[in-house]
Amino acid sequence: MGQIEQGLERALRTRPIPSSTEARLRFLLARNRGSTRKVATMLGVSQRTVQRWVTKKPGARRPPGPLQVRAIEEVVLARWQPRVRARRRAQAEAEGFVFHTRARFGFAAPAGSSDDPRVRWITQDLPGEVARELFAARDADGGEQQQLVILARALGHAYFRDGGQRAHGLGIAFTDVEFADFSIG
């Protein structure tokens, strides 16, 4: 998962997901009314394996392996705050969002010009149509590169071209993303 995808996920949540594997398993069990069978089906393991992970008996407890820990995390992420995520996504698509990033950004310009690509801190309001494009790309498994293209076009228009007032026809460079955060509402 790239920086942009992680930033989008953080923006859609209002509370952090449980950090430990045990807490994540407790969340999955609570969501499924304590049914180890349903949790096992979601994770692709046997019911007995889930029972071993959550048992209170000393000596009988077995921690999940690295592949199972990753599967548990993915299942929890997919099921964490679904209504909040849907509401925040709709709000971003309707009202827009603020994008915060530190990345190599600029116009493809001659060396030494003020617009030469360099690492910049940028905080910029972006409209809802950009949020719609980003979410559509994410839903279609477009990948980090497609999301970079969408954000480069939007930031180029809003940040460098001052909403289309100047610097027409120059190519945008947006690479080496160190972090990407989104503020919704």
Side-chain angles (χ1 to χ4, degrees):
M1 185 181 303
Q3 293 292 331
I4 296 170
E5 181 70 25
Q6 289 175 4
L8 282 172
E9 286 299 319
R10 282 190 304 270
L12 293 177
R13 294 190 299 256
T14 58
R15 293 183 323 183
I17 65 165
S19 57
S20 71
T21 303
E22 291 80 21
R24 290 174 180 169
L25 284 168
R26 283 193 306 270
F27 165 75
L28 290 175
L29 286 168
R31 276 289 296 254
N32 292 287
R33 298 185 181 134
S35 172
T36 54
R37 178 175 290 149
K38 288 180 182 177
V39 172
T41 302
M42 282 189 278
L43 297 172
V45 297
S46 71
Q47 180 178 3
R48 182 70 186 120
T49 300
V50 174
Q51 290 170 345
R52 282 189 198 106
W53 291 343
V54 299
T55 187
K56 301 287 187 208
K57 293 181 184 177
R61 188 177 201 135
R62 300 283 186 259
L67 291 176
Q68 288 86 17
V69 168
R70 190 172 305 121
I72 292 166
E73 180 181 13
E74 289 173 5
V75 169
V76 169
L77 278 173
R79 287 162 177 74
W80 188 252
Q81 294 186 311
R83 290 185 302 238
V84 170
R85 292 168 51 87
R87 185 176 63 242
R88 289 183 61 89
R89 178 178 174 164
Q91 182 180 5
E93 290 176 348
E95 301 170 8
F97 59 92
V98 179
F99 181 57
H100 312 275
T101 189
R102 180 175 160 89
R104 185 167 305 282
F105 190 75
F107 283 120
S113 78
S114 65
D115 292 332
D116 190 31
R118 63 181 185 270
V119 175
R120 300 172 192 246
W121 290 88
I122 296 176
T123 297
Q124 183 66 48
D125 287 318
L126 294 175
E129 61 199 34
V130 175
R132 280 189 292 280
E133 285 184 63
L134 280 174
F135 286 122
R138 189 186 72 166
D139 294 344
D141 293 327
E144 186 86 358
Q145 191 59 39
Q146 185 177 0
Q147 293 170 338
L148 278 173
V149 168
I150 293 166
L151 286 170
R153 187 177 62 246
L155 286 171
H157 180 74
Y159 182 78
F160 273 113
R161 294 189 183 110
D162 195 22
Q165 300 296 317
R166 60 184 180 95
H168 303 285
L170 295 175
I172 302 294
F174 181 48
T175 58
D176 304 333
V177 178
E178 292 179 21
F179 77 90
D181 276 330
F182 300 81
S183 297
I184 300 172

